[in-house]
Amino acid sequence: MLKHRILIPLLAVLLSTPAFADKPGGTYQFDTEGQHQFILFKISHLGYSWLYGNFNEFTGSFTVDEENPENSKVRAEIQTASIDSNHAERDKHLRSDDFLDVSEYPTATFESTRIEQTGERTAKITGDFTLHGVTKPVTLDAKMIGYGDDPWGGYRMGLEASTTLKLADFGITKDLGPASETVEIIISCLLYTSDAADE
């Protein structure tokens, strides 16, 4: 179920537009200190209700190539043991080899491979996603929420992205019923260029 920190490649697309022509290249960080980032998941429970949860620990960076935005790169990493569905026993089961098998596969990663701009502030971001020891191409529908200078002398932007994963594609084959074969992932993230995140 999961991942990313991944949305950042959208910035590479937008940096090539007039609205972003004066914005600096370089490395943009995820705001892990200020906790302005979320990776949420949503999966059907027996077809009767929704189960929501999140991954509490993930990191990543996005390096912007100012002259050739299409060459910008993003890499993100999720600590799979940080899964949190607000129920300790269920989380223990999700960490087991029935699902994420976190002792064998402690991280999930994403590396962008292609960006397709679909609107002024939207893009499809394709990359290699590795989960449960399996690597598959994944496409995120991404949107820039807002951007601008911050009070600490840096520059920030907020991005959101989503995708739907089929669990069996990543070797997670525990039978939860036909309504629970896929999981929706929602990623919301704040990026910054200064050395200090706000509190």
Side-chain angles (χ1 to χ4, degrees), residues 61-79:
S61 62
F62 176 50
T63 301
V64 177
D65 187 326
E66 196 170 9
E67 294 185 0
N68 299 290
E70 69 279 2
N71 294 331
S72 298
K73 299 293 183 182
V74 62
R75 176 178 170 81
E77 183 175 286
I78 297 172
Q79 302 302 313

Side-chain angles (χ1 to χ4, degrees), residues 5-175:
R5 259 156 146 305
I6 0 204
L7 5 253
I8 337 291
L10 174 58
L11 174 60
V13 175
L14 296 176
L15 280 170
S16 65
T17 69
F20 282 78
D22 60 343
K23 301 303 181 285
T27 298
Y28 284 70
Q29 303 288 347
F30 290 77
D31 186 2
T32 57
E33 295 298 322
Q35 293 301 314
H36 293 126
Q37 57 177 21
F38 305 90
I39 294 178
L40 311 174
F41 64 85
K42 174 183 175 182
I43 188 169
S44 175
H45 180 247
L46 302 176
Y48 305 144
S49 63
W50 293 106
L51 169 65
Y52 293 84
N54 57 276
F55 290 87
N56 292 325
E57 297 178 18
F58 59 96
T59 57
S61 62
F62 176 50
T63 301
V64 177
D65 187 326
E66 196 170 9
E67 294 185 0
N68 299 290
E70 69 279 2
N71 294 331
S72 298
K73 299 293 183 182
V74 62
R75 176 178 170 81
E77 183 175 286
I78 297 172
Q79 302 302 313
T80 56
S82 72
I83 192 168
D84 183 355
S85 68
N86 200 34
H87 189 285
E89 286 303 310
R90 179 171 55 222
D91 292 343
K92 182 178 179 181
H93 191 198
L94 292 173
R95 295 182 186 112
S96 75
D97 57 11
D98 276 347
F99 295 101
L100 295 176
D101 197 0
V102 301
S103 60
E104 183 72 19
Y105 309 108
T107 61
T109 61
F110 179 92
E111 294 192 40
S112 61
T113 57
R114 187 174 74 251
I115 305 166
E116 176 190 356
Q117 187 171 2
T118 57
E120 184 180 348
R121 292 197 182 191
T122 60
K124 289 187 178 295
I125 302 166
T126 299
D128 293 326
F129 181 45
T130 300
L131 172 67
H132 198 247
V134 178
T135 301
K136 295 280 187 180
V138 168
T139 298
L140 299 164
D141 292 313
K143 179 180 181 180
M144 176 168 284
I145 305 303
Y147 52 88
D149 296 330
D150 66 27
W152 301 274
Y155 183 79
R156 297 183 182 236
M157 59 188 66
L159 302 174
E160 185 174 87
S162 63
T163 191
T164 299
L165 306 177
K166 187 174 182 179
L167 297 179
D169 287 347
F170 294 91
I172 301 174
T173 56
K174 180 72 173 178
D175 187 5

